[in-house]
Amino acid sequence: MEKLKKKHQFKNLEKLDKVKIGYARVSSLDDRQKLGFEVQKEALKSCNIIFSEKQSGDNDNRPEFLRMISDVENGLVDTIICKSLARAFRNTGDQNRHLREVFPQFQTRFITLDTPHVDTFLSPSQAYSMEVEFHGMFNGYYPIKVSEEVSKTFKTMMKKGEFVGAFAPYGYVKGDTEETKHKFFIDEEAAEVVRKIFHWYAYDGLSQKAITEKLNSLGILCPASYKRSKGMNFVGNFPNNDGLWYVATVRKILDNETYIGHMIQGKSRVLSPLLKKSEYVPKDEWVIVEDTHEPIISKMLFESVQFIRLKRHRVVKNKWTVDIFSGFIKCADCGMVMTRTKNYYMTKRYGKRDITYYVCSTYSAKSKKACSGHRIRKELVEDAVLCAVQEQIRTVSKLEEILDDSRRDKIASSSLKHLEKSLSTKQNEVSKLEGIADSLYIDWKTDVLSKDEYMRMKLSFEEKISHLKQVIKNIKLELEGQQKSRDEITPYIEVFREHRNVTKLNRAILIDLVEAIHVREDKGIEIDFKFEDTYQKIVDSIQK
């Protein structure tokens, strides 16, 4: 229908020797600008044809404007009428080029209905007037000023934990009222996919590529296509894709703290409102507000996923799964990871069989002189780790029986008291040093100290004060973190309780409970468990 309408407009242009054209423009079609759009078109109703569009004025490639100028250059336009200069031009250069060069060259009359009233036929010199020049400058400056004010408003909203983007991340939707439109609410259909992605990666051992393939094999729409299927006018980076997932999309979800209830914004910034270009912002400059909405996954699961991503792990060839000990098992002597290898042999009864071993990667891939093989069968590692895990779970269960609520609070607060005492000590030290540093100036002026002695001692004290202030800053950060997670005993006990009846080792148990597994040359195995600091605090408290 739109194509027929435009074709009809061109036929009209061909029939008329000269025509009067109107041009109307708004930046968006919200309620306020939609009304302005209608006012413009009403003012231009005497025109033969009206070119109208929803485009930003600082866009140099406005389709309808370019069509109108093309008709001017083809000698088909006698007069152009706009409600104001700002509707047609948004900078002085663009305005001057058309008013002083293009329109006079093709004998086209240009009229504005609002101040300043321009009519290049009745008063050609108006194109050079100070008033018109001033309005051109103002119209160029106005969008820049508006952009700055909008940026300030958005920054304030971000710091308050209010979402300022157009679309919520996959798994969430924005509220549909004026009070909730800057908040996130769980979209259960998409949220279930997010949960599966984290679970597959953390507990089923699937790689990011394997998760991508699985999502596509199950026919689950990628986030962009999902949003469009829900009627959202979402374009994204791949507007014409076929609904398939990419590895980068899965990686982005696994990396997004939004899913644990935090509002993450300010990841990019606009370099210039005129250039329409942006740049990525370093993570330490992002605007992060914690606990602003309901989480889709737990913080513990999110941290487990980040823990796995930091570890080196290799996907089993031709399979979706990751080896159970991948990224965990290390050589106790050189500290390098141990790699998996298989030996095959034939039996009369069962045919071809295999045995899986772990070997020090330094020995197998670098130099047999740099370290020994530390060769150990997978079954031995599984049995040893399972026994150690079961023993640790029994130990924690006994501690749980001993601990009462009051003792838990005492353990949780003991670390805070230590930090608070340390903070007070350091602050007193700073005050004392600042007092001494201040008195040095008086000693210099009263000839107690020479200038060189004063400068040397002043520099020394300033360095000490600067160091102490950094220590104080670190202590405050640690205090803040511990106050947010005051009771560290409960999650410690709960994570072990979850695996209380374990009889077979799996990767989920390792991710939740184990930091690293070290294999010695004599095939002895040492296991670093998570929460060791918490465990020691409990033991120390009980002994006291």
Side-chain angles (χ1 to χ4, degrees), residues 45 170 228 239 278 342 345 349 402 477 488:
K45 63 183 181 181
Y170 182 68
R228 287 194 283 271
S278 60
K342 283 190 176 185
Y345 62 95
R349 186 172 183 180
I402 296 171
L477 287 173
E488 58 183 307

Side-chain angles (χ1 to χ4, degrees), residues 154 163-169 174 181 184 227 232-234 265:
F154 280 178
F163 183 63
V164 299
F167 300 95
K174 295 198 298 182
K181 67 180 181 180
F184 288 162
K227 288 176 182 178
M232 300 181 195
N233 186 27
F234 185 81
Q265 298 184 95

Side-chain angles (χ1 to χ4, degrees), residues 155-351:
K155 196 77 172 178
T156 301
M157 293 174 68
M158 288 180 192
K159 290 178 179 178
K160 291 163 61 179
E162 297 178 357
F163 183 63
V164 299
F167 300 95
Y170 182 68
Y172 288 100
V173 291
K174 295 198 298 182
D176 53 7
T177 67
E178 191 65 30
E179 292 76 21
T180 62
K181 67 180 181 180
H182 299 296
K183 297 180 181 179
F184 288 162
F185 298 89
I186 290 179
D187 174 5
E188 198 52 51
E189 183 180 349
E192 187 57 32
V193 178
V194 172
R195 294 187 191 104
K196 286 179 179 177
I197 290 172
F198 276 89
H199 192 279
W200 288 338
Y201 189 82
Y203 298 134
D204 293 353
L206 299 193
S207 66
Q208 294 173 22
K209 186 174 185 297
I211 292 172
T212 304
E213 292 173 358
K214 188 166 186 175
L215 289 166
N216 288 331
S217 71
L218 294 173
I220 296 173
L221 290 176
C222 69
S225 296
Y226 174 79
K227 288 176 182 178
R228 287 194 283 271
S229 73
K230 296 298 181 181
M232 300 181 195
N233 186 27
F234 185 81
V235 178
N237 295 326
F238 306 100
N240 299 317
N241 73 0
D242 47 11
L244 296 177
W245 287 74
Y246 292 87
V247 174
T249 310
V250 172
R251 186 182 303 119
K252 188 176 179 181
I253 287 174
L254 291 173
D255 194 43
N256 196 343
E257 292 181 64
T258 300
Y259 298 120
I260 56 174
H262 301 342
M263 187 69 75
I264 317 294
Q265 298 184 95
K267 292 183 178 182
S268 63
R269 57 178 161 235
V270 177
L271 290 172
S272 166
L274 298 180
L275 293 175
K276 301 292 185 183
K277 290 184 178 180
S278 60
E279 65 175 358
Y280 288 108
V281 172
K283 189 171 182 178
D284 58 357
E285 295 180 27
W286 293 358
V287 181
I288 302 176
V289 182
E290 298 183 356
D291 303 321
T292 59
H293 52 271
E294 184 180 354
I296 290 176
I297 61 164
S298 69
K299 289 182 181 178
M300 187 171 290
L301 176 55
F302 183 83
E303 288 169 0
S304 295
V305 165
Q306 308 318 309
F307 173 74
I308 297 167
R309 292 177 70 192
L310 289 174
K311 287 182 173 288
R312 293 180 60 189
H313 57 272
R314 184 165 56 93
V315 179
V316 179
K317 191 175 181 181
N318 300 323
K319 293 185 179 181
W320 277 356
T321 57
V322 174
D323 179 67
I324 185 172
F325 293 114
S326 182
F328 285 97
I329 191 165
K330 296 180 180 181
C331 172
D333 293 318
C334 70
M336 295 298 291
V337 295
M338 298 185 71
T339 56
R340 189 189 58 209
T341 183
K342 283 190 176 185
N343 283 353
Y344 294 93
Y345 62 95
M346 294 296 296
T347 65
K348 290 182 180 180
R349 186 172 183 180
Y350 299 107

